[in-house]
């Protein structure tokens, strides 16, 4: 079991997940993850752009709480639970 990490996009906390530090850092390098973030938007602005900088850090208390609340509502799965810390626009 890992810690809760937050993925920052250009310094803005966007996603929380449970992982090891290495897994969180590797996720920032994954092309599928960047593509997913670029496809999503919040308040009409894309979460990520082609040149955006993605970073991982240990989540702060508020982010951990958001993750823990969301994880209670999801059935157990082997998939990574990504909890968005921003309000997403409807697709």
């Amino acid at each position: 079991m890992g810690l809760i990490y937050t993925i920052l996009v250009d310094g803005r906390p966007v996603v929380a997940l449970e992982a090891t530090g290495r897994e969180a850092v590797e996720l920032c390098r994954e092309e599928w993850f960047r593509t997913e973030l670029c496809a999503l938007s919040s308040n009409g602005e894309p979460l990520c752009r082609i040149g955006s900088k993605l970073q991982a850090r240990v989540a702060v208390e508020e982010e951990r709480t958001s993750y823990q609340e969301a994880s209670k509502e999801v059935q157990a799965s082997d998939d990574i639970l990504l909890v968005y810390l921003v309000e997403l626009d409807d697709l």
Side-chain angles (χ1 to χ4, degrees), residues 22-89:
R22 182 176 182 176
E23 291 167 336
V25 169
E26 287 176 2
L27 181 62
C28 292
R29 296 185 188 129
E30 291 287 341
E31 196 59 40
W32 68 265
F33 183 62
R34 180 178 288 272
T35 299
E36 182 174 307
L37 291 177
C38 287
L40 297 172
S41 62
S42 177
N43 296 318
E45 290 293 318
L47 295 186
C48 183
R49 299 183 190 281
I50 291 172
S52 292
K53 181 179 178 184
L54 274 58
Q55 293 175 277
R57 64 155 165 75
V58 174
V60 298
E61 185 174 346
E62 182 180 335
E63 296 159 351
R64 283 193 306 271
T65 300
S66 294
Y67 179 87
Q68 290 162 346
E69 290 298 315
S71 68
K72 292 176 187 175
E73 300 172 15
V74 178
Q75 292 185 2
S77 169
D78 288 337
D79 293 338
I80 298 171
L81 174 61
L82 299 175
V83 175
Y84 288 88
L85 302 170
V86 294
E87 188 174 328
L88 297 176
D89 295 338

